[in-house]
Amino acid sequence: MAPPARPDGWDVRFGTNDAAKGWEELCQAARSRTWSTWVILTERPTAPENPARQHRLKGKLGTRDVNGVDLEQWQFEVTSGSRVWYCPDPDTKIVWVTLAGTGHPYQTE
């Protein structure tokens, strides 16, 4: 169960069932780092403190259609092999998790 959104923060939702399943895998494999990722997504999804770990994806992966709206797609490196891809919607303050998992998404290489 996800914690509720902070009154002034971003709400995090899963864009796909696979993203939700991948998030559960991350919780089991790297609990504290997954929690830190959750905090970052709810507080500052587009303001990275460490651009090597959190950045907007490039090229065709840089945007994604979410419910008929083209949004920027970002990546957060949870561990050296684990990633979360997400699309923040500034109009609704919702972060849509589009991919999460313990394996590296090699589409970025």
Side-chain angles (χ1 to χ4, degrees):
M1 175 184 301
R6 293 183 175 147
D8 59 342
W10 292 70
D11 189 16
V12 177
R13 298 183 187 171
F14 297 105
T16 67
N17 287 335
D18 286 341
K21 289 175 188 175
W23 186 269
E24 288 300 319
E25 291 173 7
L26 283 172
C27 287
Q28 293 173 12
R31 183 173 303 274
S32 65
R33 287 195 164 189
T34 305
W35 171 251
S36 297
T37 302
W38 183 269
V39 170
I40 288 166
L41 296 182
T42 59
E43 291 181 356
R44 49 184 172 77
T46 60
E49 289 181 355
N50 183 348
R53 294 185 72 95
Q54 180 184 10
H55 55 85
R56 183 171 174 198
L57 292 170
K58 297 177 183 174
K60 65 180 180 175
L61 298 174
T63 58
R64 183 174 182 139
D65 180 293
V66 178
N67 300 324
V69 179
D70 283 336
L71 299 173
E72 294 181 350
Q73 186 162 238
W74 287 66
Q75 173 174 271
F76 190 86
E77 181 182 320
V78 181
T79 67
S80 61
S82 304
R83 303 288 189 275
V84 172
W85 288 4
Y86 62 94
C87 297
D89 185 341
D91 293 335
T92 61
K93 289 198 79 168
I94 295 172
V95 173
W96 293 98
V97 175
T98 56
L99 179 145
T102 57
H104 187 283
Y106 288 99
Q107 301 99 306
T108 59
E109 293 185 348

